[in-house]
Amino acid sequence: MKFLEEQIIKHGKIISKDIVKVDSFLNHQLDPYILDTISDSFVKKFSHLEPTKILTIEASGIAIAMLMGVKMGIPVIFAKKKKPSTMTESFYYSEVFSYTKKEKNGIVVSKEFLNNDDKVLIVDDFLAMGAASFGLIDIVKQSQGEVVGIGIAVEKGFQQGGKILREKGYNLHSLAIIEKIEDERIYFRDN
Amino acid sequence: MKFLEEQIIKHGKIISKDIVKVDSFLNHQLDPYILDTISDSFVKKFSHLEPTKILTIEASGIAIAMLMGVKMGIPVIFAKKKKPSTMTESFYYSEVFSYTKKEKNGIVVSKEFLNNDDKVLIVDDFLAMGAASFGLIDIVKQSQGEVVGIGIAVEKGFQQGGKILREKGYNLHSLAIIEKIEDERIYFRDN
């Protein structure tokens, strides 16, 4: 999506050869026009699959997911980040490894809100190693629902998450795929 | 707002005389129609004040805030929950006491996104003792911006947050105010 690539170039801050900060529009301040356009693009891409639920993870994913939920008329569920607890009987529970924090974190979704009839669209702002996506997929599997698609705003193409998800056959759609960051420039993959 | 009171009665689960769970539409699963209606009501209430930014706190507040941001054409900022760190020089930092967890948590907003020109509308899903609202107000004060209004979906009228905010003269608008929970019934304040 040319539009999102342009926003990343315009507003993103290159921190290192692995990191572009997009705090000013995607994950701290949220730009209404950019996020609305992102959500439109996902709605267009995934509506024909007739998802029954959108699943994301707190916090940044919620903004895009909610705009989509209203446009598609389906509920949004956000997985909560939570330490393992004894309340697991009423929750689907999975573990997500944070590569930045070098620690495992539990994520939970109440069993009430996902079941085997659900066609689930997973949405998130970022995809790098794919840890959050794998955790959300695991939760959908536990519910015996079906993952019909995965919508990602910004994929770091130089990390492995996207590659693995595509190899496993998931219907992954990333709006902007960063191929590499070099000499203060961001290179995108044609997609 | 009659509509929201009806949703709370219909979907809320009374846990104790202090707690109604609204997980099924407001803070875990997010109902697109209910949240869209809530956001419409806030837009109608606050637009004439011409806010320049909407400020909320992760995670549940983001959904309502983002729908409003798109309708009003203004950015949303969500304060991040974070332990105090050495990066405080570029952040506004405040502390929020969690009465459920009995602990203080730091919240941060990057200094980049709030300044003394800003007319800030604070939005959140719940108001009880007001800890989150006071933290967000403190952050706006540090930025020397102005709090033009506070929009809350569900206020617990039997706790002190709303009372204190009104006494201090803040333009607080709560869509549903729970007066008490008694004999498995929820009573709302006329407002």
Side-chain angles (χ1 to χ4, degrees):
Chain A
M1 191 197 194
K2 211 73 206 160
F3 169 79
L4 183 55
E5 294 178 3
E6 288 165 3
Q7 303 307 318
I8 295 168
I9 290 169
K10 190 171 166 193
H11 303 292
K13 283 185 193 157
I14 297 173
I15 304 295
S16 70
K17 67 176 186 34
D18 299 328
I19 301 173
V20 187
K21 256 177 93 171
V22 288
D23 261 18
S24 67
F25 68 93
L26 189 61
N27 43 28
H28 183 16
Q29 181 168 250
L30 306 166
D31 183 278
Y33 179 67
I34 299 174
L35 268 73
D36 200 34
T37 306
I38 288 173
S39 72
D40 278 343
S41 179
F42 284 141
V43 169
K44 210 171 149 186
K45 182 74 189 174
F46 291 115
S47 279
H48 73 285
L49 301 171
E50 300 183 352
T52 58
K53 300 272 169 72
I54 298 170
L55 178 64
T56 188
I57 186 166
E58 59 181 359
S60 322
I62 297 173
I64 298 170
M66 193 68 241
L67 295 174
M68 294 170 63
V70 167
K71 286 169 194 179
M72 301 170 86
I74 57 176
V76 171
I77 300 154
F78 64 91
K80 300 194 175 197
K81 291 173 184 168
K82 211 178 158 172
K83 299 220 167 59
S85 83
T86 51
M87 300 165 64
T88 44
E89 71 288 354
S90 55
F91 288 99
Y92 302 118
Y93 173 80
S94 192
E95 280 180 345
V96 170
F97 185 76
S98 167
Y99 289 87
T100 38
K101 294 179 190 161
K102 310 259 184 266
E103 63 182 23
K104 259 190 204 171
N105 289 299
I107 62 170
V108 292
V109 169
S110 169
K111 288 194 177 172
E112 236 179 295
F113 306 133
L114 273 184
N115 63 57
N116 60 4
D117 290 335
D118 277 316
K119 298 166 73 174
V120 181
L121 180 54
I122 291 173
V123 170
D124 211 353
D125 55 340
F126 254 91
L127 172 67
M129 298 299 279
S133 293
F134 294 125
L136 295 175
I137 289 170
D138 180 32
I139 278 174
V140 178
K141 277 187 183 160
Q142 290 175 45
S143 76
Q144 303 186 310
E146 181 193 356
V147 176
V148 295
I150 303 172
I152 299 290
V154 185
E155 177 182 336
K156 290 182 172 180
F158 53 88
Q159 292 185 355
Q160 297 303 306
K163 187 167 177 285
I164 297 169
L165 288 168
R166 287 185 187 91
E167 281 173 2
K168 285 181 182 279
Y170 287 103
N171 178 26
L172 169 64
H173 184 63
S174 300
L175 296 182
I177 303 180
I178 298 174
E179 196 65 273
K180 61 177 178 180
I181 304 165
E182 214 171 72
D183 303 329
E184 302 290 300
R185 249 194 83 177
I186 303 166
Y187 295 83
F188 293 97
R189 187 183 303 171
D190 286 330
N191 69 326
Chain B
M1 190 197 194
K2 209 75 203 159
F3 169 78
L4 183 55
E5 294 178 3
E6 287 165 3
Q7 303 307 318
I8 295 168
I9 289 169
K10 191 171 164 193
H11 302 292
K13 283 185 193 157
I14 298 173
I15 304 295
S16 69
K17 68 177 187 32
D18 298 329
I19 301 174
V20 188
K21 256 178 92 173
V22 288
D23 262 18
S24 66
F25 68 93
L26 190 60
N27 43 27
H28 183 16
Q29 181 168 251
L30 306 166
D31 183 278
Y33 179 67
I34 299 174
L35 268 72
D36 200 35
T37 307
I38 288 173
S39 71
D40 278 343
S41 178
F42 284 140
V43 169
K44 208 170 151 187
K45 182 73 190 174
F46 291 114
S47 279
H48 72 283
L49 301 172
E50 300 183 353
T52 59
K53 299 272 169 71
I54 297 169
L55 178 63
T56 187
I57 187 166
E58 60 182 358
S60 322
I62 297 173
I64 298 169
M66 192 69 241
L67 295 174
M68 294 170 63
V70 168
K71 286 169 193 179
M72 300 171 87
I74 57 175
V76 171
I77 300 155
F78 64 92
K80 300 194 175 199
K81 291 173 185 169
K82 213 177 155 172
K83 299 221 163 60
S85 84
T86 50
M87 300 165 66
T88 44
E89 71 286 354
S90 56
F91 288 100
Y92 303 117
Y93 174 80
S94 191
E95 280 179 346
V96 170
F97 185 76
S98 166
Y99 289 87
T100 38
K101 295 179 190 163
K102 310 259 183 267
E103 63 183 22
K104 258 191 204 171
N105 288 299
I107 63 171
V108 293
V109 169
S110 169
K111 287 193 178 174
E112 237 178 294
F113 306 131
L114 273 184
N115 63 57
N116 60 4
D117 289 336
D118 277 316
K119 296 165 76 174
V120 181
L121 179 55
I122 291 173
V123 170
D124 211 351
D125 54 340
F126 254 90
L127 172 67
M129 297 298 281
S133 293
F134 294 124
L136 294 174
I137 289 169
D138 179 34
I139 279 175
V140 177
K141 277 188 184 160
Q142 290 175 45
S143 77
Q144 303 186 310
E146 180 193 356
V147 175
V148 296
I150 303 172
I152 299 290
V154 185
E155 178 182 335
K156 290 182 173 180
F158 53 87
Q159 292 185 355
Q160 296 303 305
K163 185 168 178 286
I164 297 169
L165 288 168
R166 288 184 187 92
E167 281 173 4
K168 285 181 181 282
Y170 286 102
N171 178 24
L172 168 64
H173 183 62
S174 300
L175 296 183
I177 304 179
I178 298 174
E179 196 64 273
K180 62 176 177 179
I181 304 165
E182 214 171 72
D183 302 328
E184 302 290 300
R185 250 193 83 178
I186 304 165
Y187 295 83
F188 293 97
R189 187 184 304 171
D190 286 329
N191 68 326

